[in-house]
Amino acid sequence: MADTEEYTPPKVWTWDEASGGRFANINRPISGATKEKDLPVGKHPLQLYSLATPNGVKVTMMLEELLEKGHEGAEYDAWLVNIQEGDQFTSGFVGANPNSKIPAMMDHSGDTPIRIFESASILFYLAEKFGEFLPTETAARTEVMNWVFWQMGSAPYLGGGFGHFYAYAPTKQEYPINRFAMEVKRQMDVLDKRLADNRFLGGDDYTIADMAVFPWYGALAKGLLYSAGEFLQVDSYEHVQRWSAEIYERPASQRGRMVNRPFGEPSSQLLERHDASDFELRTQDKIGGESPEAV
């Protein structure tokens, strides 16, 4: 193992300086708003405040799938939250999500607006509201929720663990990269074995389990996450590759991945979404202008 400088933790940790790395300017050990600013509200009952990270993409994929099934009530306004600029710490956003993480949603369809935060909670809320992508039979429903919660428990090892130390940390260190690479490969093996005998994670049908897992592990399988495909030998997970390819080609999945996306090809960036026609008329290649540095 490569030599590293030994670190002895103090008896009491204090926040003396930024920790370094890509997101050092927005990391802090306290919660709450840092500036007063209301959230914008568009014309639809569902208002989404998000960014096209894996967690944000889960929700826009779900909304586009609902619209494709004909649920007019799933029309939504999607507003870009620029996390590098600290939009998640405005008073309005903290009111929608006290944890200051995207995505957050407000449902204005009733007498009293309902806030929904945490991506899995939003997926579950929408599945219940529209009666889609979540079985009603107990065993099938439980299996789907098993995989939804598997993702919520597992992805921090992929994102905050492997992704941080492999791609974002100020220095590359062998021990944490090895530690989290091992765990991510174990997780990919878990998925590969499940998908060897099942078309989707819940069984034969596409569900919120797939929408929860795909933006993280499907993107990893396609080499789109942290530029780590070769390092983790993602091509070796045959069944994850098959599953990822199928979801990647779904029209609603393709649209969902464009929403609140300020990076990539300009034709793939729809910074805000307020109408179905925006995919044809409002992408960055159509309207021009520079994308914000949001991720």
Side-chain angles (χ1 to χ4, degrees):
M1 178 175 290
D3 292 334
T4 58
E5 183 179 346
E6 186 72 18
Y7 169 66
T8 302
K11 289 184 178 180
V12 177
W13 183 85
T14 57
W15 185 38
D16 297 324
E17 59 184 17
S19 58
R22 185 167 179 181
F23 298 102
N25 66 313
I26 59 172
N27 290 334
R28 58 190 186 130
I30 55 175
S31 64
T34 61
K35 50 190 173 184
E36 292 293 321
K37 185 179 180 181
D38 293 335
L39 289 175
V41 179
K43 61 184 178 180
H44 303 297
L46 297 179
Q47 298 292 303
L48 178 66
Y49 307 95
S50 192
L51 177 67
T53 66
N55 286 333
V57 164
K58 298 174 193 177
V59 177
T60 48
M61 284 174 56
M62 173 65 159
L63 288 164
E64 291 300 325
E65 290 282 358
L66 289 168
L67 289 169
E68 190 152 302
K69 277 184 168 285
H71 291 281
E72 295 181 2
E75 272 292 353
Y76 65 104
D77 292 281
W79 304 91
L80 179 68
V81 177
N82 190 327
I83 63 173
Q84 288 287 52
E85 294 296 322
D87 290 351
Q88 69 275 38
F89 300 119
T90 64
S91 57
F93 192 89
V94 171
N97 182 359
N99 196 39
S100 291
K101 301 290 184 181
I102 62 93
M105 176 178 280
M106 297 294 298
D107 185 352
H108 296 270
S109 61
D111 293 336
T112 302
I114 298 173
R115 74 177 186 183
I116 317 101
F117 60 89
E118 290 296 331
S119 56
S121 180
I122 299 174
L123 289 178
F124 180 73
Y125 179 86
L126 293 172
E128 291 276 275
K129 182 180 180 72
F130 294 101
E132 298 283 3
F133 301 111
L134 181 61
T136 55
E137 189 273 323
T138 299
R141 183 184 183 87
T142 301
E143 186 65 16
V144 167
M145 295 307 296
N146 287 341
W147 290 103
V148 171
F149 284 105
W150 176 89
Q151 186 277 320
M152 297 299 285
S154 297
Y157 291 96
L158 171 54
F162 174 77
H164 175 77
F165 287 105
Y166 185 80
Y168 299 142
T171 60
K172 298 289 190 289
Q173 298 178 42
E174 184 177 5
Y175 174 78
I177 290 175
N178 282 348
R179 166 68 180 86
F180 290 111
M182 181 186 302
E183 173 60 14
V184 170
K185 287 182 70 65
R186 187 194 69 81
Q187 292 174 2
M188 290 289 279
D189 193 50
V190 169
L191 289 175
D192 207 56
K193 288 184 166 97
R194 171 62 180 173
L195 292 166
D197 300 316
N198 296 275
R199 181 182 176 188
F200 296 110
L201 288 171
D204 294 333
D205 297 324
Y206 185 60
T207 67
I208 60 171
D210 304 289
M211 297 179 210
V213 175
F214 169 80
W216 283 101
Y217 296 89
L220 182 65
K222 296 191 73 64
L224 302 176
L225 207 59
Y226 310 124
S227 300
E230 181 179 8
F231 181 75
L232 295 172
Q233 298 177 291
V234 295
D235 288 344
S236 65
Y237 301 102
E238 173 186 357
H239 307 293
V240 177
Q241 290 291 341
R242 183 268 308 160
W243 167 83
S244 299
E246 180 172 353
I247 297 174
Y248 192 81
E249 293 300 322
R250 293 177 72 95
S253 171
Q254 294 177 358
R255 292 193 302 273
R257 297 195 306 273
M258 294 171 63
V259 179
N260 298 144
R261 179 184 174 92
F263 51 86
E265 291 294 325
S267 61
S268 74
Q269 299 182 35
L270 184 61
L271 301 187
E272 292 184 1
R273 189 265 191 217
H274 305 289
D275 188 87
S277 64
D278 290 347
F279 292 101
E280 296 295 328
L281 303 176
R282 301 292 298 172
T283 52
Q284 283 300 95
D285 62 317
K286 302 286 179 36
I287 65 174
E290 294 185 2
S291 300
E293 292 293 330
V295 293

